[in-house]
């Protein structure tokens, strides 16, 4: 059901011919109301795609009627022509839906530099076709239409007490944080104000998508959008709603991790004993981005030395000769010296846990990443994306 | 000839049994004087190996009589026992050479966590054997004894007017900056003061080793040492000496790049039009560390979109819609939009040039890196190192 699980939403996914595979590549999600509340977070990459430039402006008033998403082309670094294409896409959808173009967001994903006249013709026709195909149970079609190198669609649903959250995500490569890290649309029929939607979304992404760092590469196109219809008539408690949103976002983040391009291990790096949460995040991220560590995990080698070498590049408070490092529950390094034999660690399962105790304080954070594999190199060298 | 090319130096490389392959693994370089000037730069990794902790202190007085180097074990995170091993190594060499232990530097390279009693016994015996084997033309033996995954020894010689510089380096993985990025010993028979040696070394490493970023990973053990004997009796001009030192260091850095683990392309990233040299370095490094860019080059794909996405993660002054990007002389992106067709670029040669014009100012910098290949993943997953 994905984004059409909550009341008040319609969605569709259609084939517009943007993907050479002939698979669905344009999705539309429409908020039928009564509320038209929207909030969004965007990539913090300073090189932003045209849809990001457009959507950042369109979200300012907190009103979102619809969102158009396409795979098969990023429309990034495509010049003024590319921006006009995004603008025309919003205008086309707005005219057909009888709403203001400024209340239509646009998201694109695919190869940077793709956004010529052929692209424009296809996305405009695809937008029209998707709006014609809108359905109250079209969420799954929409989820399929935003896939790029994803092998499976990613969706999540939370059933509250009289209200619900639905969501879809795409993302398999170029996964690294910067507020958002992928294309995500989240819908809810809960009654939310614009400020509440914005605050909840920022809080939830901070501890979910922003903790996913599969390959250290930050996209130019990433956007997470929350749309609230109020169609349930229910105003959930703020804590309950936020917890549900965190659950949905974390589920999607873990699905993105599990489908990361070429990965053979899903690595959970838990940093505890940090002086601050920022320190814990910095340490976790530095390990997650260390190619030697990532290659070692691919080789089922619990190479704790590479973990310490990565920690040493951070500014976090730590004494290299106090740190403990454990792999899958076996402490291999204690106080900066060898502890248990590395042979005790079995890294053959896909799920890999690395626990780092900095022995400095009480703060903690968890970063989700993947290993560096032959298949990652193959997928990202054999095809332009 | 490497480090024994200048007058006043003796060197040796011997088999101490630290490497399972039975190849040479302990080297000693001795300065016969009359000057015993030394300068060194060290890894900026906060997780430092025991030899780094030792050598940082020993270099304080600017006097270096000898340096002992071993491969086959990093002696990093090996506890107090490991530090005592380094200390004993310096004491052993000092006793045999009849100098002060505080004037003997130690360098180690190999697997982090290696430094137990067996290691201690072998390095002490190896130090004794190497000192017994010291020779005025032992430079090449020393260069071979510091190799780890290097496939070839790296040496460089500069013949000045009555003076010379000789050098050896090891490094093939974990190549990333932090002042030093590998084990390097540079010798000269020029007459230099301690302050001159230090200033020249820092200036030369800043624009050579510090611009090499093969895989973004910073070692715990890296050290670049300059030893001056004054045996030529010649005091070269400061500019001439510095230029020669830059030439030697750049030659070694390029040799390290050419032998980087598993690499199939040597990538030269030249950033011009930057507002400052720092900006140029930051931009070049961000591209050099982007796994998607590196994998694309492996696949002979001139993926300029990934270059711009990497630039966008920096804090450098730039307008994403002003930047030009060229691959091997073909401008693929002009003012943030597609320019020449990517089919015009031939990336099959190993030497790859990426030119980024930020259009902000007159500053420039060049970063040397490598591609991300199947062989890189294989070498760093199949073996602990």
């Amino acid at each position: 059901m994905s984004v059409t699980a909550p009341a008040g939403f319609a969605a569709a996914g259609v084939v517009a011919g943007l993907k050479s595979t002939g698979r669905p590549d344009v999705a539309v999600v429409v908020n039928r109301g009564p509320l038209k509340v929207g909030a969004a977070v965007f990539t913090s990459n300073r090189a932003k795609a045209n849809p990001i430039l457009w959507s950042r402006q369109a979200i300012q008033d907190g009103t979102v009627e619809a969102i158009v998403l396409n795979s098969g082309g990023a429309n990034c670094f495509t010049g003024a022509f590319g921006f006009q294409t995004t603008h025309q896409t919003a205008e086309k959808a707005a005219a057909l839906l009888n709403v203001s173009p400024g209340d239509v967001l646009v998201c694109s994903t695919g190869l940077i530099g793709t956004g010529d006249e052929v692209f424009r013709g296809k996305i405009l026709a695809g937008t029209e076709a998707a709006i014609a195909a809108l359905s109250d149970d079209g969420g799954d079609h929409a989820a399929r239409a935003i896939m790029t190198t994803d092998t499976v669609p990613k969706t999540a649903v939370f059933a509250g007490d009289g209200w619900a959250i639905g969501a879809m995500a795409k993302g398999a490569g170029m996964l690294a944080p910067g507020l958002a890290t992928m294309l995500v649309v989240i819908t809810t029929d809960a009654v939310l104000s614009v400020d509440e939607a914005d605050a909840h979304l920022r809080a939830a992404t901070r501890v979910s998508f922003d903790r996913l760092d599969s390959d250290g590469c930050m996209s130019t196109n990433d956007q997470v959008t929350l749309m609230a219809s109020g169609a349930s008539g229910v105003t959930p408690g703020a804590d309950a709603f936020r917890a549900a949103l965190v659950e949905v976002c974390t589920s999607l983040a873990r699905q993105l991790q599990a489908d990361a391009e070429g990965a053979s291990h899903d690595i959970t790096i838990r940093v505890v004993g940090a002086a601050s949460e920022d320190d814990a995040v910095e340490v976790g991220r530095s390990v997650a981005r260390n190619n030697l560590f990532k290659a070692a995990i691919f080789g089922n080698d619990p190479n704790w030395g590479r973990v310490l070498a990565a920690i040493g590049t951070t500014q976090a408070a730590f004494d290299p000769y106090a740190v403990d490092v454990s792999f899958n529950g076996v402490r291999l390094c204690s106080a900066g010296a060898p502890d248990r034999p590395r042979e005790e660690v079995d890294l053959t399962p896909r799920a890999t846990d690395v626990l780092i105790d900095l022995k400095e304080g009480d703060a903690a954070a968890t970063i989700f990443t993947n290993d560096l594999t032959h298949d990652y190199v193959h997928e990202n060298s054999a095809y332009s994306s």
Side-chain angles (χ1 to χ4, degrees), chain A residues 2-6 9 29-30 164-168 185-190 225-229 241 245:
Chain A
S2 87
V3 290
T4 47
F9 293 92
V29 182
V30 174
I165 297 175
M168 65 178 185
V185 178
I186 306 164
T187 55
T188 182
D189 51 15
T225 306
L226 171 63
M227 301 162 76
S229 69
F241 186 82
L245 194 61

Side-chain angles (χ1 to χ4, degrees), chain A residues 16-198:
Chain A
L18 292 164
K19 280 181 182 164
S20 58
T21 57
R23 294 200 175 135
D25 44 19
V26 170
V28 172
V29 182
V30 174
N31 183 351
R32 302 292 195 194
L35 300 181
K36 304 296 177 72
V37 167
V41 290
F42 301 94
T43 181
S44 58
N45 198 312
R46 294 169 61 206
K48 297 182 201 303
N50 288 307
I52 298 292
L53 299 175
W54 169 264
S55 297
R56 276 207 307 177
Q57 296 305 315
I59 198 70
Q60 294 296 328
D61 65 357
T63 300
V64 176
E65 295 273 0
I67 183 165
V68 180
L69 311 95
N70 77 278
S71 53
N75 195 6
C76 180
F77 294 118
T78 49
F81 185 87
F83 187 80
Q84 289 160 9
T85 299
T86 296
H87 190 183
Q88 289 182 20
T89 303
E91 286 184 324
K92 164 74 81 175
L96 294 168
L97 295 168
N98 197 29
V99 300
S100 163
D103 295 333
V104 178
L105 304 187
V106 180
C107 292
S108 298
T109 180
L111 182 63
I112 293 173
T114 302
D116 59 7
E117 290 186 41
V118 174
F119 173 88
R120 178 186 286 184
K122 287 179 177 176
I123 193 174
L124 292 176
T127 300
E128 189 165 348
I131 288 173
L134 281 170
S135 155
D136 290 352
D137 59 0
D140 290 335
H141 288 111
R144 289 191 174 275
I146 60 173
M147 290 165 65
T148 52
T149 53
D150 307 70
T151 64
V152 292
K154 286 98 178 173
T155 64
V157 172
F158 181 91
D161 187 11
W163 55 277
I165 297 175
M168 65 178 185
K170 88 91 199 172
M174 211 180 271
L175 293 184
L179 289 186
T181 65
M182 59 285 308
L183 297 191
V184 179
V185 178
I186 306 164
T187 55
T188 182
D189 51 15
V191 176
L192 288 180
S193 72
V194 170
D195 287 348
E196 288 166 345
D198 188 71

Side-chain angles (χ1 to χ4, degrees), chain A residues 220-310:
Chain A
T220 51
N221 285 61
D222 292 346
Q223 179 172 340
V224 178
T225 306
L226 171 63
M227 301 162 76
S229 69
S232 70
V234 177
T235 305
D239 290 350
F241 186 82
R242 185 167 296 188
L245 194 61
V246 168
E247 185 176 319
V248 164
C249 290
T250 302
S251 167
L252 291 174
R254 297 303 295 262
Q255 291 178 56
L256 294 167
Q257 180 191 25
D259 197 28
E261 284 173 352
S264 72
H265 288 81
D266 297 337
I267 309 170
T268 302
I269 302 172
R270 195 152 56 93
V271 182
V272 303
S276 68
E277 187 178 349
D278 283 352
D279 273 9
V281 170
E282 185 187 1
V283 164
R285 211 182 287 301
S286 76
V287 176
R289 292 187 175 182
N290 187 282
N291 278 351
L292 292 172
F293 163 78
K294 293 162 86 78
I297 299 299
F298 169 56
N300 296 331
D301 171 16
N303 197 313
W304 59 268
R306 294 179 180 175
V307 172
L308 284 167

